[in-house]
Amino acid sequence: MASPWGYNSREYRMGPFMKGEATQGDYQSMERHEVFTMGLQAIEEASKSKYSKSFVDLANNEKDAILTSLEKGEIAVVTGVTGKTFVNLLRNLTMEGAYSDPLYGGNKNMMGWKMRKYPGNQMSYANIMDKDQFVVMEPRSLHDHFATH
């Protein structure tokens, strides 16, 4: 979130910021890192308000209740931004971290790929193209193709 992406540095950032249609998705005047930070704060505040405990101290069913309310948009992150916006951002970041090429810093030891039996970046599939059955391959990262000296 501390990267230029977290600060929306390559996006058009001038107003006016108007509420779009439901099919248009979110367009926030806030930067991603702000939505993320405020989303975490909203989770903590909702936990303390509803259960008088910090989110990390809640029972699993209580955590689920908070996260479900957040996902439904019942918890406001900040004026004009619901928890649903935060949950969508969190979900996307989680997916990117779990399934991106490890070269970019996520998907440690290619565990996300191994879990999904995704082969990653193979140089060729010519040796298995004629197979009738699914072939499980050891995943390869882009980094595996770099020459090391």
Side-chain angles (χ1 to χ4, degrees):
M1 296 316 265
S3 72
W5 184 85
Y7 284 84
N8 302 60
S9 64
R10 298 192 63 151
E11 295 176 16
Y12 180 76
R13 303 293 302 147
M14 302 297 291
F17 297 100
M18 294 184 241
K19 182 162 176 57
E21 298 297 322
T23 57
Q24 292 177 305
D26 299 322
Y27 183 78
Q28 302 299 325
S29 59
M30 295 171 53
E31 295 171 347
R32 286 182 196 94
H33 73 97
E34 294 172 316
V35 172
F36 199 84
T37 299
M38 290 180 181
L40 294 175
Q41 290 170 343
I43 289 172
E44 187 65 14
E45 289 167 13
S47 300
K48 288 180 178 176
S49 173
K50 187 169 183 177
Y51 299 108
S52 301
K53 291 190 261 182
S54 178
F55 183 77
V56 298
D57 296 326
L58 297 179
N60 288 339
N61 63 325
E62 294 169 333
K63 288 178 183 177
D64 287 346
I66 295 291
L67 294 175
T68 298
S69 293
L70 194 71
E71 184 176 27
K72 288 180 179 177
E74 298 169 353
I75 296 173
V77 170
V78 68
T79 304
V81 178
T82 65
K84 187 173 184 171
T85 299
F86 168 72
V87 169
N88 289 339
L89 177 62
L90 179 62
R91 182 180 296 122
N92 288 341
L93 292 174
T94 301
M95 297 294 277
E96 289 171 10
Y99 298 120
S100 66
D101 194 291
L103 177 74
Y104 301 109
N107 193 7
K108 187 173 181 175
N109 298 321
M110 294 180 266
M111 293 307 295
W113 290 354
K114 289 174 184 176
M115 177 178 63
R116 305 288 300 174
K117 296 182 179 147
Y118 177 69
N121 188 282
Q122 302 290 328
M123 293 300 283
S124 172
Y125 297 95
N127 61 334
I128 63 166
M129 286 175 45
D130 60 346
K131 306 286 186 209
D132 291 332
Q133 300 296 320
F134 180 77
V135 177
V136 177
M137 303 173 79
E138 189 66 26
R140 303 220 31 209
S141 167
L142 289 168
H143 191 268
D144 294 335
H145 305 300
F146 291 164
T148 56
H149 299 277

